[in-house]
Amino acid sequence: MQFHLNGFRTGDPAVAEADTQHGMSRPADGLPEEVDVLIVGAGPTGLTLAAQLAAFPQITTRILDQKPGRLLVGQADGIACRTMEMFEAFGFSERVLKEAYWVNETSFWKPDTDRPEAIARSGRIQDTEDGLSEFPHAILNQARVHDFYLDIMRNAPARLEPDYSRRLRDLRIDPSLSSGQGAPSHPVTATVERTDPGHDGQLETVRARYVVGCDGARSAVRQSIGRALRGDAANQAWGVMDVLAVTDFPDIRLKAAVHSANEGNLLIIPREGGYMVRLYIELDKLSENERVSSRNITIDHLISAAQRILHPYTLEVKEVAWWSVYEIGQRLCDKFDDVPEQEVGTRTPRVFIAGDACHTHSPKAGQGMNVSMRDGFNLGWKLASVLLNRCAPEILHSYSAERQGVARQLIDFDREFAKMFSARPKTSADDDGDGVDPAEFQKYFVQHGRFTAGTAIQYKPSILTGAPTQQHLAEGFGIGMRFHSAPVIRLADARPMHLGHTVKADGRWRLFAFAGAGDPAAPSSGLRALCDFLAAAPESPIRRYTPAGADIDSVIDLRAVLQQEHRALAVETMPALLLPHKGRYGLRDYEKVFSPDPKGGDIFTMRGIDRERGCMVLVRPDQHVAHVLPLDGYDELAAFFEGFMLPAA
Amino acid sequence: MQFHLNGFRTGDPAVAEADTQHGMSRPADGLPEEVDVLIVGAGPTGLTLAAQLAAFPQITTRILDQKPGRLLVGQADGIACRTMEMFEAFGFSERVLKEAYWVNETSFWKPDTDRPEAIARSGRIQDTEDGLSEFPHAILNQARVHDFYLDIMRNAPARLEPDYSRRLRDLRIDPSLSSGQGAPSHPVTATVERTDPGHDGQLETVRARYVVGCDGARSAVRQSIGRALRGDAANQAWGVMDVLAVTDFPDIRLKAAVHSANEGNLLIIPREGGYMVRLYIELDKLSENERVSSRNITIDHLISAAQRILHPYTLEVKEVAWWSVYEIGQRLCDKFDDVPEQEVGTRTPRVFIAGDACHTHSPKAGQGMNVSMRDGFNLGWKLASVLLNRCAPEILHSYSAERQGVARQLIDFDREFAKMFSARPKTSADDDGDGVDPAEFQKYFVQHGRFTAGTAIQYKPSILTGAPTQQHLAEGFGIGMRFHSAPVIRLADARPMHLGHTVKADGRWRLFAFAGAGDPAAPSSGLRALCDFLAAAPESPIRRYTPAGADIDSVIDLRAVLQQEHRALAVETMPALLLPHKGRYGLRDYEKVFSPDPKGGDIFTMRGIDRERGCMVLVRPDQHVAHVLPLDGYDELAAFFEGFMLPAA
């Protein structure tokens, strides 16, 4: 954590100084007439977006929710490794690590070969492959994830809090947008109905530059832009319950997929705190157009189904913290914003949908909340960059392009996974039926580990993601993939840390310069030449895009990683751009230069970096690798930024 | 973290359910007439003690401070590895790790051999030896440490908050205590003066079972029991300043000891946040009985002294967050409680002193706050155990016996260290003067690394600490020393973790059973036999000292560490005592059994445990090893507890 740059402040450094310049003071009660961004829905998707925007007090954001207050229980609980990396960027990964259950291993159970009426363990595997992420796969009540985001928002300069008890009634986009005529500054008008006592039924009108629908599978925002979820019929019913129970099932504290011979399947997800467990229980197939609610399934029904599946083990439920039954099909919107495909070249989006509003799937792969939050993370920095006049609004097209592709992949995966999960297990190798061999299911699970961890996502080349022409300079930093962190030692204070943890959710780009062979301080070094270019050349992106008077790293944050051990280097010989003077006092920032960590593994080896030539790795504000370029790829670097950045005022 | 044992609760699990049974509701304003423990002084010592006692809602605790509110800036900042381990027990180590500066390396500067008027680096070393602790040596504003303790107290069942603006005026101990006659239940009477507006000068009278003076070097509690700090004259003046500064001194982000030829010495302590730095500057020797305040030293004086010492490097101070000048000698009380040596056999202590109230020393070795907090940790569980009727009040004698010895060691170390630090540096090997060779100083620093880390402290054999007759069974768990944690895998959920982190600041004893060779589940195994003894034998300490109806691990918490890899073991074959049913639902606790962590190192090897025989390692509630015994040392275990425990009601 860096703080005290502009003077010592007492108290919690996570609580930012409240902004007083941008008229953020809220009206005593009620919504303002105009906002920059209106977020509809304070679930994980909306909160991720709101937490990102709250970092920028210049941007007026409001987030609405129908609920009367914060979420208390239930719903999603899976937190993939990649999501933990994002939480680290937001600054609360350590809180999740402390509270959550860690999914270390997964076990598989199938009918016992000799006594098919009893289940038996068929396999047990490490859940996440070694080295995939510095974070574990974790499980925590969605309500706590909300709490952490709410703290981030509350402590941010904008002091953002959700406006609860508000339902979107109507959303209209100024028609002049489609006609291509001069657009108004706040072209989206939302009509909002209050549902809180004393204000029930009261309508509020808000004009917004941008509206984001994070309002779930029945999204009113989605309907207002004329889009629909399309896909499979929701004909599989599931039950889920969070329980405190006594059982002799041995793997009750492991994630476990249990296939019984004739009683159905269930998934065990141990929960935080050491005692609670979640059970997902497969229920009956539904007829076409049948809703599970029509079946009047009770908690007793779920408990007895679980007891039958777990036979011969017992399950005695002592308390039910939360339960639900639901049907879910795999459904997807064809586009995640308001611009029809044929108008992409003529106007930019003003309304977006994210999370369950544009993709729904089964919860069994633990993906829903994760992919949805990362929708919010993808969109947040783009909206902020446009509203701060750093980037052209054309980058907003990339949200749908990137995230709709991810959602499509997820849905394909989920369909396959759900099918395998629900299939009758083969009881022996001789079984020729349409059942699934439990060993096959386990193999599929292992193969898709990177996908479920969220680390396999790769955005395609676009204005925000370079073409992989120089990927060989850093094979381990796949262009379009998330920056895969590795251990380093910070030169100035010899601190062992993760390089990726310098990438905070602050809207900045990171340019990591991995030095080539030789003395990095030598006048001939490629690192020094790069620093000279970035500091002095008129076409330097740092010069072009950093506003006058702002800290030199406030838009593009240059960091260097050297090959030498840290004690062989002298911090005072580093180029001045790597020891920048910042803030109102011109204090030096000593946290820009790193060396490999011999105890943690050499980052050059771990990530396949060309030791002779070194390279630049450019990382987007959402932690995805935007480009890999040679250390002297000045023109390519400048051209890349030129594609979407606006020169600073 | 374990939670939800007695039912699901929404919200932050660190916020305990408020106690409603013990009449803890505070009077609207003012102190109660009677308390169990009255703590005078809400500095780090008093807060450690208060945080410990707040865990027990049955105990009425109040903590007073003269200040009008919480500390905002300044004072101590060093946090030794051992203190971080204690913070882990209190549940906030991750907050300190996140905010603090980590002392990874220390550099040494001396006059340049060729140009003695300029300083030059003479050495650079790793600050803490590998494997000494799982935590780093850290630096953080004392005010933040207070904040973390205040959060722990506020979130504890007792919802304890300090009573500020209160000065102790008078403390009287009922004379019947010394006469050996039947003592009153609350024999200590404190008269307290309020200093807050509206109540200024108002007196309150509180009767307490116990009073603890954590009220600093001018302790009123110490005076009331007729004790005095004795030791060296305070004839060395020092200045300290926390500054935001621009400098070209290369090691400004390393802890650095700088000896100049003729301008004096200083110590650089980089601070949290990446920009702030603390400088300790040696000032003039004082005459006997002279106070530094008489010299009217200003901040400009300190800054220019620092500038001269750092020559040829520049130091431009931009902001001073806090500064002070002070004189400190090494002073010590001969005893830390109210019982004269000759009365130890006839009565038990009722008034204690802790921290600066009974030992003062220079801040240069970064020990003061650490040793003081650990005074509070040592005393806290003992007071709680006596007040809960778990232990005989005779254990309270051990507080002074143990901590006075530690303070004496510290003061001897500090005297030597301060002398070496202040000595004129030898400028060459030929220098025959009384100066100190900088290489010698560095060597001394390394040699005493374990001492300054706080991990070398070893309590002598007593009723609370066994004789080292069986130390060879676990060479790495020195009896009387703090339990040196090591990595393990938790069997039931395969979670990699630190075994020592199971030792929380909850007043419980931990009995770690390290299994010998062979199958731990076999009927013949020593582990199973131990569990049988502990579960069933009338002389089992668990049976004798656990109150009826309480969880089986609520006084003595048994945990087992097996030699096999976790996947080779079946949790369901473990003895029932290692899968205990707990709480109002009888839920099973799955967190009692561990295996070595092949990735982190084998705990049996790391701690020198006899693989053939295994052993028991008994750990006190303050994380110190109480005993090492054979796995079948049932009689010795029973006899050890018999020495100080009271049978449960």
Side-chain angles (χ1 to χ4, degrees):
Chain A
M1 287 184 93
Q2 286 184 294
F3 43 90
H4 297 330
L5 173 61
N6 289 312
F8 175 82
R9 284 176 59 235
T10 187
D12 186 349
V15 181
E17 207 154 4
D19 176 71
T20 53
Q21 289 174 26
H22 296 93
M24 287 298 298
S25 62
R26 306 173 64 109
D29 192 27
L31 295 172
E33 290 181 10
E34 282 191 354
V35 300
D36 292 318
V37 183
L38 182 70
I39 303 168
V40 184
T45 316
L47 290 172
T48 304
L49 180 58
Q52 175 66 95
L53 293 172
F56 306 99
Q58 312 93 314
I59 298 172
T60 311
T61 305
R62 287 293 182 275
I63 175 167
L64 316 178
D65 203 276
Q66 294 190 42
K67 292 190 300 293
R70 73 176 184 87
L71 184 71
L72 299 179
V73 293
Q75 305 194 23
D77 59 7
I79 298 171
C81 302
R82 170 69 192 114
T83 304
M84 289 296 299
E85 296 170 8
M86 182 183 76
F87 289 167
E88 169 64 30
F90 277 103
F92 63 81
S93 69
E94 80 287 353
R95 298 183 70 180
V96 179
L97 285 177
K98 183 177 181 180
E99 276 187 36
Y101 172 83
W102 293 15
V103 187
N104 306 293
E105 300 194 343
T106 297
S107 80
F108 298 85
W109 291 69
K110 61 164 192 172
D112 192 327
T113 315
D114 300 328
R115 309 188 295 149
E117 72 282 5
I119 55 169
R121 194 191 284 124
S122 66
R124 178 170 169 171
I125 58 164
Q126 186 168 317
D127 184 80
T128 305
E129 69 177 293
D130 284 337
L132 192 63
S133 170
E134 69 276 22
F135 289 106
H137 176 193
I139 305 286
L140 185 65
N141 192 336
Q142 176 183 335
R144 291 298 290 153
V145 174
H146 288 206
D147 288 347
F148 300 144
Y149 274 126
L150 291 169
D151 280 349
I152 297 294
M153 291 159 54
R154 196 175 290 132
N155 294 337
R159 297 287 190 273
L160 186 57
E161 302 261 6
D163 291 288
Y164 291 111
S165 299
R166 279 172 166 89
R167 184 164 50 217
L168 183 70
R169 279 276 293 268
D170 183 58
L171 195 71
R172 284 168 203 275
I173 307 175
D174 193 305
S176 65
L177 277 181
S178 296
S179 70
Q181 293 175 355
S185 64
H186 295 70
V188 195
T189 304
T191 308
V192 175
E193 180 183 349
R194 294 184 66 161
T195 58
D196 45 336
H199 300 278
D200 203 8
Q202 203 173 304
L203 296 183
E204 297 170 303
T205 303
V206 187
R207 290 187 304 281
R209 293 185 199 270
Y210 298 100
V211 171
V212 187
C214 307
D215 47 347
R218 288 190 279 269
S219 169
V221 175
R222 183 186 69 227
Q223 285 159 25
S224 78
I225 57 171
R227 299 210 179 272
L229 286 172
R230 294 183 206 283
D232 301 349
N235 62 351
Q236 178 62 57
W238 282 82
V240 56
M241 55 182 182
D242 293 341
V243 297
L244 297 169
V246 177
T247 179
D248 56 359
F249 179 69
D251 289 355
I252 195 70
R253 296 306 301 165
L254 291 179
K255 178 175 168 187
V258 182
H259 288 84
S260 76
N262 298 305
E263 301 295 346
N265 308 322
L266 63 73
L267 187 65
I268 292 174
I269 307 286
R271 287 285 297 269
E272 64 274 13
Y275 299 104
M276 194 159 71
V277 64
R278 168 166 291 192
L279 301 177
Y280 284 107
I281 300 140
E282 194 176 35
L283 301 172
D284 301 336
K285 284 266 186 293
L286 301 174
S287 323
E288 207 175 332
N289 296 322
E290 189 190 13
R291 297 298 302 266
V292 71
S293 54
S294 67
R295 299 230 176 169
N296 296 319
I297 294 168
T298 64
I299 179 65
D300 292 334
H301 183 109
L302 296 187
I303 292 170
S304 64
Q307 287 166 334
R308 289 194 307 272
I309 296 168
L310 288 173
H311 179 81
Y313 298 104
T314 60
L315 177 78
E316 195 186 343
V317 173
K318 300 290 190 176
E319 181 179 311
V320 179
W322 177 79
W323 70 282
S324 182
V325 293
Y326 58 92
E327 68 272 289
I328 282 212
Q330 289 78 20
R331 292 163 177 254
L332 180 66
C333 268
D334 56 347
K335 205 156 178 299
F336 290 2
D337 62 34
D338 63 313
V339 180
E341 201 60 62
Q342 63 277 17
E343 291 182 31
V344 164
T346 56
R347 71 176 181 95
T348 55
R350 291 294 183 160
V351 179
F352 305 85
I353 45 179
D356 288 352
C358 41
H359 47 84
T360 68
H361 24 79
S362 83
K364 283 177 301 296
Q367 292 301 297
M369 178 164 72
N370 292 284
V371 174
S372 296
M373 287 191 284
R374 298 195 305 253
D375 285 349
F377 196 35
N378 182 288
L379 182 57
W381 72 270
K382 294 174 183 174
L383 278 176
S385 301
V386 170
L387 287 163
L388 298 170
N389 291 316
R390 285 186 193 164
C391 290
E394 280 69 26
I395 68 164
L396 298 175
H397 287 305
S398 70
Y399 165 69
S400 180
E402 291 178 342
R403 298 307 297 176
Q404 206 269 354
V406 168
R408 184 174 296 281
Q409 270 188 287
L410 168 63
I411 278 171
D412 290 345
F413 165 76
D414 186 52
R415 191 178 286 126
E416 183 83 3
F417 191 74
K419 204 172 74 187
M420 291 186 90
F421 193 84
S422 297
R424 188 182 58 80
K426 279 190 186 173
T427 47
S428 73
D430 306 330
D431 181 341
D432 291 336
D434 58 356
V436 169
D437 180 353
E440 283 296 310
F441 180 68
Q442 180 173 329
K443 199 170 144 201
Y444 187 84
F445 180 87
V446 171
Q447 278 174 347
H448 290 77
R450 292 182 181 196
F451 186 79
T452 49
T455 59
I457 298 304
Q458 184 160 29
Y459 297 143
K460 295 198 174 69
S462 72
I463 54 168
L464 294 176
T465 308
T469 54
Q470 313 278 337
Q471 183 70 70
H472 58 277
L473 294 174
E475 292 289 355
F477 292 122
I479 298 173
M481 301 181 82
R482 108 320 187 170
F483 183 77
H484 188 180
S485 185
V488 288
I489 301 276
R490 196 159 60 195
L491 180 60
D493 63 357
R495 175 160 173 164
M497 56 178 289
H498 255 274
L499 186 61
H501 299 188
T502 61
V503 185
K504 296 298 177 200
D506 56 10
R508 293 194 278 168
W509 291 74
R510 262 81 194 182
L511 181 57
F512 293 102
F514 288 88
D519 179 2
S524 63
S525 92
L527 177 64
R528 186 165 286 279
L530 172 64
C531 289
D532 289 347
F533 163 75
L534 290 171
E539 60 279 22
S540 154
I542 290 181
R543 284 182 58 115
R544 272 180 74 78
Y545 305 117
T546 307
D551 286 338
I552 194 70
D553 61 356
S554 58
V555 176
I556 302 169
D557 177 16
L558 173 70
R559 313 249 175 174
V561 187
L562 314 177
Q563 295 193 33
Q564 292 81 358
E565 270 212 47
H566 70 280
R567 286 211 209 149
L569 294 162
V571 69
E572 64 272 26
T573 63
M574 293 297 128
L577 193 59
L578 293 170
L579 288 164
H581 291 276
K582 289 167 57 178
R584 67 182 178 111
Y585 294 131
L587 301 181
R588 272 186 160 177
D589 184 336
Y590 284 91
E591 304 195 354
K592 301 297 192 188
V593 189
F594 305 86
S595 280
D597 179 355
K599 291 171 192 163
D602 186 309
I603 187 172
F604 284 81
T605 307
M606 292 170 81
R607 298 294 171 258
I609 294 160
D610 187 318
R611 287 189 178 272
E612 187 54 37
R613 301 179 57 197
C615 68
M616 287 191 268
V617 178
L618 181 64
V619 179
R620 306 181 352 172
D622 58 9
Q623 302 178 312
H624 277 257
V625 176
H627 223 330
V628 172
L629 290 170
L631 265 188
D632 61 357
Y634 312 148
D635 294 347
E636 288 158 281
L637 183 71
F640 179 77
F641 277 111
E642 189 73 24
F644 58 90
M645 294 288 278
L646 302 176
Chain B
M1 288 183 90
Q2 285 184 294
F3 44 90
H4 297 330
L5 174 61
N6 290 313
F8 175 82
R9 283 176 60 236
T10 186
D12 186 349
V15 181
E17 208 153 3
D19 176 71
T20 52
Q21 287 175 26
H22 296 93
M24 289 296 299
S25 61
R26 307 173 64 109
D29 192 27
L31 295 172
E33 290 180 12
E34 282 191 355
V35 299
D36 292 318
V37 183
L38 182 70
I39 303 168
V40 184
T45 315
L47 290 173
T48 304
L49 180 58
Q52 175 67 94
L53 294 172
F56 305 99
Q58 311 93 315
I59 298 173
T60 310
T61 305
R62 287 293 182 273
I63 175 167
L64 316 178
D65 204 276
Q66 294 191 43
K67 292 189 302 293
R70 71 177 184 88
L71 184 72
L72 299 179
V73 293
Q75 306 194 26
D77 59 6
I79 298 171
C81 301
R82 170 68 192 116
T83 305
M84 290 295 299
E85 296 171 6
M86 183 183 74
F87 289 167
E88 169 63 30
F90 276 104
F92 62 82
S93 69
E94 80 286 354
R95 299 183 70 180
V96 179
L97 285 177
K98 184 176 180 180
E99 276 187 37
Y101 171 83
W102 294 15
V103 187
N104 306 293
E105 300 195 343
T106 297
S107 80
F108 298 87
W109 291 70
K110 62 163 192 172
D112 191 327
T113 316
D114 300 328
R115 311 187 292 151
E117 72 282 6
I119 55 170
R121 193 192 285 122
S122 66
R124 177 171 170 171
I125 58 163
Q126 186 168 316
D127 184 81
T128 306
E129 69 177 292
D130 284 337
L132 192 62
S133 170
E134 70 277 22
F135 288 107
H137 175 193
I139 306 286
L140 184 65
N141 192 335
Q142 175 182 337
R144 292 298 290 153
V145 174
H146 288 205
D147 288 346
F148 300 144
Y149 274 126
L150 291 168
D151 280 348
I152 297 295
M153 290 159 55
R154 197 175 291 135
N155 294 337
R159 297 286 189 274
L160 187 57
E161 301 262 5
D163 290 288
Y164 292 110
S165 299
R166 279 172 165 91
R167 184 164 50 217
L168 183 70
R169 278 276 294 268
D170 183 59
L171 195 72
R172 285 170 201 274
I173 307 176
D174 191 304
S176 66
L177 277 182
S178 297
S179 69
Q181 294 175 354
S185 65
H186 294 71
V188 195
T189 303
T191 308
V192 175
E193 179 183 350
R194 295 184 65 160
T195 58
D196 45 335
H199 300 279
D200 203 7
Q202 203 173 302
L203 296 182
E204 296 169 304
T205 302
V206 187
R207 290 186 305 280
R209 293 185 199 269
Y210 297 100
V211 171
V212 187
C214 306
D215 47 347
R218 288 191 279 271
S219 169
V221 175
R222 183 185 68 229
Q223 287 159 26
S224 78
I225 58 170
R227 300 209 178 273
L229 285 172
R230 295 183 206 283
D232 302 348
N235 62 351
Q236 177 63 56
W238 281 82
V240 57
M241 56 182 182
D242 293 341
V243 297
L244 297 169
V246 177
T247 179
D248 56 359
F249 179 70
D251 289 355
I252 195 69
R253 296 306 301 165
L254 291 178
K255 177 174 168 186
V258 182
H259 289 84
S260 75
N262 299 305
E263 301 294 347
N265 308 323
L266 63 74
L267 186 65
I268 291 174
I269 306 286
R271 287 286 296 268
E272 64 274 14
Y275 299 103
M276 194 159 72
V277 65
R278 167 166 292 192
L279 301 177
Y280 284 106
I281 300 139
E282 193 178 35
L283 300 172
D284 302 337
K285 284 266 187 292
L286 301 174
S287 324
E288 206 174 334
N289 297 323
E290 187 190 14
R291 298 297 304 266
V292 70
S293 54
S294 67
R295 299 233 177 164
N296 295 319
I297 293 168
T298 65
I299 179 66
D300 291 336
H301 182 108
L302 296 187
I303 292 171
S304 63
Q307 287 166 334
R308 289 195 307 273
I309 296 167
L310 288 173
H311 178 82
Y313 299 102
T314 60
L315 177 79
E316 195 185 343
V317 172
K318 300 290 189 177
E319 181 178 311
V320 179
W322 177 78
W323 71 281
S324 181
V325 293
Y326 58 92
E327 68 273 287
I328 282 212
Q330 287 78 19
R331 291 164 178 255
L332 181 65
C333 268
D334 56 347
K335 206 156 177 303
F336 291 2
D337 62 35
D338 63 313
V339 179
E341 201 61 61
Q342 63 276 17
E343 291 182 30
V344 164
T346 56
R347 71 175 182 96
T348 55
R350 290 294 184 163
V351 179
F352 305 86
I353 45 178
D356 288 353
C358 41
H359 47 85
T360 68
H361 23 80
S362 83
K364 284 177 301 296
Q367 292 303 297
M369 178 164 70
N370 292 284
V371 174
S372 296
M373 287 191 284
R374 297 195 305 254
D375 284 350
F377 196 36
N378 182 288
L379 181 57
W381 71 270
K382 295 174 182 172
L383 278 175
S385 301
V386 170
L387 288 164
L388 297 171
N389 291 315
R390 284 187 194 164
C391 290
E394 281 68 27
I395 68 165
L396 298 175
H397 288 304
S398 71
Y399 165 70
S400 180
E402 291 179 341
R403 300 307 297 175
Q404 207 268 357
V406 168
R408 184 174 297 281
Q409 271 187 287
L410 169 63
I411 278 171
D412 291 345
F413 164 77
D414 186 53
R415 192 179 285 127
E416 182 83 2
F417 190 75
K419 205 171 75 186
M420 291 187 90
F421 193 84
S422 297
R424 188 181 59 79
K426 279 192 184 171
T427 47
S428 73
D430 307 330
D431 182 340
D432 291 336
D434 59 356
V436 168
D437 180 350
E440 284 296 310
F441 179 69
Q442 181 172 328
K443 199 170 145 200
Y444 187 85
F445 180 88
V446 171
Q447 278 173 345
H448 290 76
R450 292 183 181 195
F451 186 79
T452 48
T455 59
I457 298 304
Q458 183 160 28
Y459 297 144
K460 294 198 174 69
S462 73
I463 54 167
L464 294 176
T465 307
T469 54
Q470 314 278 337
Q471 183 71 71
H472 59 276
L473 294 174
E475 292 289 355
F477 291 122
I479 297 173
M481 302 181 81
R482 96 356 176 147
F483 183 76
H484 187 181
S485 185
V488 288
I489 301 276
R490 196 160 59 196
L491 179 60
D493 63 356
R495 176 161 173 163
M497 57 176 289
H498 255 275
L499 186 61
H501 298 188
T502 61
V503 186
K504 295 299 175 200
D506 55 10
R508 293 195 278 167
W509 291 74
R510 261 82 194 180
L511 182 57
F512 293 102
F514 288 87
D519 178 3
S524 62
S525 93
L527 177 64
R528 186 165 287 278
L530 172 64
C531 289
D532 288 347
F533 164 75
L534 290 171
E539 59 278 24
S540 154
I542 290 181
R543 284 182 58 116
R544 270 179 75 78
Y545 305 116
T546 307
D551 285 337
I552 193 69
D553 61 356
S554 57
V555 176
I556 302 170
D557 177 15
L558 173 69
R559 312 247 176 176
V561 187
L562 314 178
Q563 294 193 32
Q564 291 80 358
E565 270 212 46
H566 69 280
R567 286 211 209 149
L569 295 162
V571 68
E572 64 272 27
T573 63
M574 293 297 128
L577 194 59
L578 293 171
L579 287 164
H581 291 276
K582 291 168 56 178
R584 68 182 178 111
Y585 293 131
L587 302 181
R588 271 186 160 177
D589 185 336
Y590 285 90
E591 305 196 354
K592 301 297 191 187
V593 189
F594 305 87
S595 280
D597 180 355
K599 291 173 191 161
D602 185 309
I603 187 171
F604 284 82
T605 307
M606 292 171 81
R607 298 294 170 257
I609 294 160
D610 187 318
R611 287 188 178 272
E612 187 54 36
R613 300 180 58 198
C615 68
M616 286 191 269
V617 178
L618 181 64
V619 179
R620 307 184 347 176
D622 58 9
Q623 301 178 314
H624 278 256
V625 176
H627 222 330
V628 172
L629 290 170
L631 264 189
D632 60 358
Y634 311 148
D635 294 347
E636 287 159 282
L637 183 71
F640 179 77
F641 277 110
E642 189 74 26
F644 58 91
M645 293 288 278
L646 302 176

